[in-house]
Amino acid sequence: MSTAKKQYKRITTNSVVEMKQNGEKIAMLTAYDYSMAKIVDHAGIDVILVGDSASNVMAGHETTLPITLDQMIYHATSVVRAIERCLVVVDIPFGSYQSDPKEALRSAIRIMKESGAHAVKLEGGKEVKESIKRILNAGIPVMGHLGLTPQSIYKFGTYTVRAKEEEEAEKLKEDALLLEKLGCFAIVIEKVPAKLAEEIAKSVSIPIIGIGAGGGVDGQVLVIHDMLGMTHEFNPRFLRRYLDLYKEMNGAFKKYISDVKSQDFPNEKEQY
Ligand code: KIV
């Protein structure tokens, strides 16, 4: 059952800000390819994030660090070709914006120009302020990403909950206010205490989209392979699995193998 408060023919960055104003929660999922994006868009998702989690779930890397700008553009282009309604946001990958604002702008421009996506996302607060400013000045909408920022995993050391201590919580609040002031249209907040995330969502006028950040924020995002139950080894508390696709697909593949071996497939009707 949908609880949309307003029907949108196309979702823009303004639409998601309006959803927050209207008290409508924003539904965001990742997608990385044409076929999946088409199904997700037809289901009525508000935002598709072409996340650098593609590095994990599509390419099999342990972290998000190895994925390149060219690879992100390839995924984003496939997604954009599929969609009719939702907003498409693309992660700027590690190493394509941290060194200087000009490089950040060049990367954002390549994503927008070559893929046709609608906005970019990058990780960090104060540290990447100049890069965010430059990208926004070029007319490219930016979504921020605070809390657990997987591109900094080697600094954090673990994927555990962030901002449990006062000092980090204070920095998170300041960074959220800064991103709003700079002109970001939304912020992803990942894996922080629900109370803190709710407080931040109340303190800013732009939407806070949470992953592992509780229900007091303005929207939710999940990695599509996780919510479909394709990734069995990943079991964080915040994850709700809507299907056990690993089991379903495994069963289908086993049946196919057995049908081929036993010569049950193809049958008379399945040939010319
Ligand atoms: O890359 C990604 O999938 C993300 C989400 C976890 C928010 O950044």
Side-chain angles (χ1 to χ4, degrees):
M1 189 192 66
S2 166
T3 46
K5 302 218 163 130
K6 180 175 165 183
Q7 298 305 317
Y8 292 92
K9 237 178 134 188
R10 278 219 79 130
I11 307 285
T12 65
T13 54
N14 290 332
S15 318
V16 293
V17 176
E18 192 180 58
M19 284 178 191
K20 172 166 179 145
Q21 287 160 359
N22 292 342
E24 175 177 342
K25 300 283 182 184
I26 298 152
M28 173 159 128
L29 277 173
T30 67
Y32 320 96
D33 69 271
Y34 175 84
S35 305
M36 194 74 97
K38 208 173 187 82
I39 301 171
V40 177
D41 185 54
H42 283 174
I45 202 77
D46 298 314
V47 186
I48 285 182
L49 171 67
V50 184
D52 57 1
S53 49
S55 179
N56 310 110
V57 296
M58 299 299 286
H61 293 296
E62 209 176 300
T63 72
T64 58
L65 277 68
I67 200 160
T68 65
L69 184 57
D70 283 334
Q71 288 165 342
M72 287 303 297
I73 291 170
Y74 167 77
H75 288 295
T77 309
S78 310
V79 166
V80 169
R81 261 185 230 119
I83 62 104
E84 287 168 12
R85 177 181 173 273
C86 70
L87 182 76
V88 179
V89 182
V90 182
D91 265 331
I92 311 186
F94 176 71
S96 307
Y97 63 96
Q98 287 91 345
S99 58
D100 81 272
K102 281 190 190 158
E103 191 200 18
L105 177 58
R106 269 196 302 276
S107 302
I109 287 177
R110 277 203 61 202
I111 289 173
M112 301 296 283
K113 217 177 174 68
E114 295 176 37
S115 76
H118 311 128
V120 296
K121 173 164 89 57
L122 51 87
E123 297 182 5
K126 206 166 135 205
E127 319 75 43
V128 288
K129 177 178 155 190
E130 294 307 321
S131 295
I132 293 176
K133 270 199 206 159
R134 224 174 236 262
I135 297 170
L136 287 167
N137 278 344
I140 301 171
V142 176
M143 177 181 273
H145 185 152
L146 300 171
L148 176 67
T149 47
Q151 291 180 10
S152 305
I153 186 57
Y154 291 117
K155 186 174 98 184
F156 295 148
T158 75
Y159 286 101
T160 52
V161 181
R162 304 303 314 172
K164 287 209 306 210
E165 306 301 330
E166 188 60 27
E167 197 182 333
E168 197 180 339
E170 280 310 311
K171 178 171 177 348
L172 186 53
K173 289 189 228 173
E174 282 166 21
D175 278 342
L177 289 171
L178 174 69
L179 294 190
E180 177 187 39
K181 196 166 146 220
L182 291 174
C184 290
F185 74 94
I187 305 170
V188 165
I189 291 195
E190 180 165 353
K191 231 174 169 184
V192 305
K195 234 174 111 198
L196 173 64
E198 183 172 1
E199 187 188 331
I200 293 172
K202 284 186 176 144
S203 74
V204 294
S205 59
I206 57 172
I208 299 294
I209 301 181
I211 173 162
V217 291
D218 308 301
Q220 299 293 327
V221 56
L222 285 175
V223 169
I224 199 156
H225 290 65
D226 299 335
M227 66 85 77
L228 291 176
M230 292 170 85
T231 47
H232 258 200
E233 59 289 351
F234 183 62
N235 272 310
R237 190 203 304 192
F238 69 77
L239 176 62
R240 185 179 295 183
R241 292 193 200 282
Y242 287 81
L243 282 176
D244 189 348
L245 219 47
Y246 182 93
K247 197 168 137 208
E248 292 294 318
M249 290 171 80
N250 188 271
F253 299 147
K254 282 196 166 128
K255 180 81 174 81
Y256 170 73
I257 294 164
S258 145
D259 287 354
V260 170
K261 303 253 179 224
S262 67
Q263 298 180 46
D264 177 78
F265 176 79
N267 63 26
E268 299 242 311
K269 288 188 199 147
E270 290 162 333
Q271 58 193 329
Y272 301 99

